[in-house]
Amino acid sequence: MDSIQQARVDLAAAHRLAARYGYHEGVCNHFSYAIPDMDDRFLLSPYGVHWSQVRASDLLLVNANGEVIEGNGHAETSAFCIHAAVHLAHPRAACVLHTHMPYATALTSLENSEILPISQNSLRFYQDVAYDNDYGGLVHDMEEGARLASNIGNKRVLMLGNHGVMVVGPSIHQAFDDLYYLERTAELQVLAYSTGKPLRLMGENLARHTKTQFDEERDRYSRIHFDGLLRILDQESPEFRN
């Protein structure tokens, strides 16, 4: 299987897995993947296809002008404006995942939406999260997309105030692994907040050390994680590969 077809399969799987975990919202939110060595071409699902039904062949190949090069359907305006801007500004962001998943989005609705070092999983993201607290409405122009791209900087996660989250990564499996653990981290933090009791914060030295440990295993572990999820899809809904 060539690399582009493999990317189609993996991105289709990411959509279906996100639907399985409840990260999606209607037919909104969007995932994309930039074609290697083709900075102005990326894969994006057509607007209106439910994530639980996305197949590899459904994914559109679009260019930096929003034109569909391959596939049937059209790219939703905000999907193009956000993803094109991030891909063009950050070559490291081969995969861009944007969702309104509930617990992480709940944090973005708080006055302080910071991911706190209160759990092992939270340390995956220690000092690797950017925050945008200037919600500007629906992203219907490239200027707003460029602003979001600027705000994420060199971080892996952007918490979009009053909106949702964006995760970027060098591969689909790494980005999806981060998306999964970001929501688990946010869920635990929301639950901890709900007790009304003081939070037990971990110290900076421990947080940095654990973050380094996670980073050393990030690609290997995320590949193993994603492959395990692919096996579930292969057993239950193998048509995603079509």
Side-chain angles (χ1 to χ4, degrees), residues 113-182:
S113 58
E114 184 179 357
I115 300 293
L116 299 174
I118 61 170
S119 67
Q120 177 171 284
N121 280 333
S122 71
L123 301 184
R124 293 171 179 270
F125 307 103
Y126 185 69
Q127 295 188 336
D128 215 350
V129 180
Y131 298 88
D132 172 33
N133 296 319
D134 298 313
Y135 177 68
L138 301 181
V139 184
H140 283 174
D141 57 68
M142 289 299 292
E143 288 76 13
E144 179 65 4
R147 189 185 71 80
L148 298 180
S150 175
N151 282 348
I152 198 170
N154 63 353
K155 307 297 188 184
R156 286 156 50 195
V157 175
L158 178 62
M159 302 289 281
L160 301 159
N162 306 107
H163 182 179
V165 300
M166 183 190 304
V167 172
V168 304
S171 63
I172 295 168
H173 62 270
Q174 287 191 40
F176 189 84
D177 187 68
D178 277 347
L179 192 75
Y180 173 86
Y181 281 105
L182 178 64

Side-chain angles (χ1 to χ4, degrees), residues 78 117 144 148-149 169 178 200 223-224 239:
S78 63
E144 179 65 4
L148 298 180
D178 277 347
R200 179 185 292 131
R223 182 74 262 180
I224 293 171
E239 75 280 356

